[in-house]
Amino acid sequence: MSDISNVKPESRGETVLASPDKIAKVRDLFGVDSDMEVPAFSEADERVPDLDPAYVFDPDTTLAICAGFARNRRVMVQGYHGTGKSTHIEQVAARLNWPMIRINLDAHISRIDLVGRDAIVLREGQQVTEFREGLLPWALQHPVALVFDEYDAGRPDVMFVIQRVLEAEGKLTLLDQNRVIRPNPWFRLFATTNTIGLGDTTGLYHGTQAINQGQMDRWNIVATLNYLPAAVEAQIVLAKSGEYDQPEGKDQVDKMIKVADLSRQGFINGDISTVMSPRTVISWAQNALIFGDVGFAFRVSFLNKCDEAERPLIAEYYQRVFGTDLPESVVGKAS
């Protein structure tokens, strides 16, 4: 995909192409063993995510997302943070050249932000009030993929607005405008979430809440994306940091991933509150090349982000794998 210069939203409110104009084979495009075919665009606009050529796709999640694009299924991707849920949807969209918009449903996103609001504008030198559509009505009318991140953290008023468009032919009624918006045939809807709509049963995700089960029932497909197998994660790190692509470097990457796996198991068990994502492992590997010190790179890449009370335990994870004590470890502090 070629780079496309940014444009002001008001200078081009339409996508480059009005609809997909070619068919892509999932097996050829993503390396997944499936005969599924997905509509795709031959030309991209600035809303298409950047392509990561080294991205490694999880087969099950890829099929779920592709089904969403191909068959207009509402797809929710659930899993622990750091597993790459949003990135997975982005990289599928990037290869399909499908325009995409991500909205993080934090506590500051309101119904007005999604639907739109009245605004004072100048028309022929006169101030007039007119309705400015929010992202939801705009996206609904265009061939774009709309992704709601942190779906289980959305405010109740926002969630009920979204519920209206979850049906495959879901229409959005703008009460202020006395208008009903019919969805574009190529509009697609996705969500990422840490929980599965039942609230935070683990105590790991403060701020999330239970989702109306009537709304959960409207999501056609729910995919679970767990942390990558060690061999796959090593493949990603090597693709991002080619300097490690030799026997000694590969051994060091394997050890880094073992530390990451220990942190993830500790996170799942509730022992620590911060987890190493594949992105963090990549940063650690790259920083180790910069500093020439694996231990120091680990501290500045991950350990310093952690709760101070948890650092001795995380330093122990490092010591178990690399056999070296860090200053934050119990032995390191005693010496």
Side-chain angles (χ1 to χ4, degrees):
M1 187 185 84
S2 58
D3 286 341
I4 299 173
S5 60
N6 293 323
V7 298
K8 294 181 180 179
E10 62 269 20
S11 66
R12 187 172 76 214
E14 303 299 317
T15 53
V16 171
L17 297 176
S19 64
D21 57 348
K22 67 176 187 178
I23 297 294
K25 295 182 181 295
V26 168
R27 180 177 283 103
D28 297 339
L29 204 56
F30 304 104
V32 177
D33 186 18
S34 171
D35 294 327
M36 187 186 297
E37 296 181 336
V38 188
F41 294 81
S42 60
E43 190 175 351
D45 70 13
E46 69 278 359
R47 300 176 186 90
V48 174
D50 293 332
L51 182 71
D52 179 359
Y55 191 80
V56 177
F57 290 92
D58 173 72
D60 291 349
T61 307
T62 302
L63 286 176
I65 295 169
C66 286
F69 280 108
R71 301 292 182 179
N72 196 17
R73 302 281 85 187
R74 304 312 194 210
V75 180
M76 175 182 286
V77 183
Q78 179 268 335
Y80 289 110
H81 72 277
T83 53
K85 300 181 293 295
S86 303
T87 306
H88 210 301
I89 301 172
E90 278 189 338
Q91 288 307 308
V92 172
R95 283 157 176 76
L96 298 175
N97 279 336
W98 205 297
M100 176 176 151
I101 297 172
R102 284 175 60 180
I103 300 178
N104 193 307
L105 292 185
D106 58 46
H108 298 288
I109 295 292
S110 67
R111 177 187 179 280
I112 290 176
D113 294 322
L114 279 187
V115 175
R117 67 185 77 199
D118 288 329
I120 298 174
V121 297
L122 284 175
R123 296 288 185 204
E124 298 178 356
Q126 299 292 320
Q127 286 188 347
V128 297
T129 301
E130 69 176 31
F131 183 77
R132 288 292 180 90
E133 288 182 349
L135 273 175
L136 183 57
W138 183 88
L140 201 63
Q141 298 172 81
H142 293 84
V144 302
L146 182 59
V147 181
F148 288 117
D149 282 329
E150 312 300 339
Y151 188 73
D152 47 0
R155 291 165 40 165
D157 58 329
V158 171
M159 304 305 281
F160 281 110
V161 171
I162 296 171
Q163 184 164 324
R164 302 179 196 173
V165 299
L166 277 174
E167 302 289 352
E169 301 299 327
K171 304 177 183 67
L172 178 64
T173 303
L174 298 179
L175 297 176
D176 298 339
Q177 298 296 298
N178 194 24
R179 177 183 168 208
V180 176
I181 296 177
R182 298 175 183 275
N184 185 289
W186 301 107
F187 168 75
R188 298 294 184 262
L189 190 59
F190 299 89
T192 67
T193 174
N194 296 127
T195 65
I196 51 173
L198 302 176
D200 181 19
T201 58
T202 64
L204 299 175
Y205 297 108
H206 303 295
T208 58
Q209 53 199 337
I211 299 173
N212 182 312
Q213 287 300 298
Q215 181 167 147
M216 280 297 298
D217 193 51
R218 287 171 166 80
W219 289 95
N220 308 121
I221 298 173
V222 177
T224 298
L225 183 60
N226 292 314
Y227 293 113
L228 297 168
V232 176
E233 190 167 351
Q235 181 183 343
I236 295 172
V237 176
L238 292 173
K240 293 288 186 180
S241 305
E243 295 90 340
Y244 288 94
D245 198 6
Q246 33 84 15
E248 185 178 340
K250 290 179 179 178
D251 180 62
Q252 191 169 89
V253 168
D254 288 341
K255 289 181 177 179
M256 290 177 175
I257 293 170
K258 287 179 182 177
V259 175
D261 285 339
L262 287 173
S263 80
R264 292 161 190 167
Q265 193 57 53
F267 174 77
I268 292 170
N269 294 339
D271 298 330
I272 60 175
S273 56
T274 311
V275 68
M276 286 190 75
S277 68
R279 186 183 297 112
T280 304
V281 178
I282 292 169
S283 294
W284 179 13
Q286 293 172 341
N287 288 339
L289 295 173
I290 294 172
F291 297 114
D293 187 328
V294 178
F296 180 75
F298 175 71
R299 294 168 65 201
V300 299
S301 304
F302 178 65
L303 191 59
N304 290 347
K305 300 177 183 178
C306 302
D307 187 308
E308 192 168 351
E310 298 172 355
R311 291 180 190 177
L313 177 56
I314 298 168
E316 183 186 326
Y317 296 156
Y318 179 90
Q319 193 279 333
R320 284 188 212 170
V321 176
F322 283 90
T324 305
D325 290 309
L326 298 175
E328 290 80 2
S329 66
V330 175
V331 175
K333 287 182 177 180
S335 60

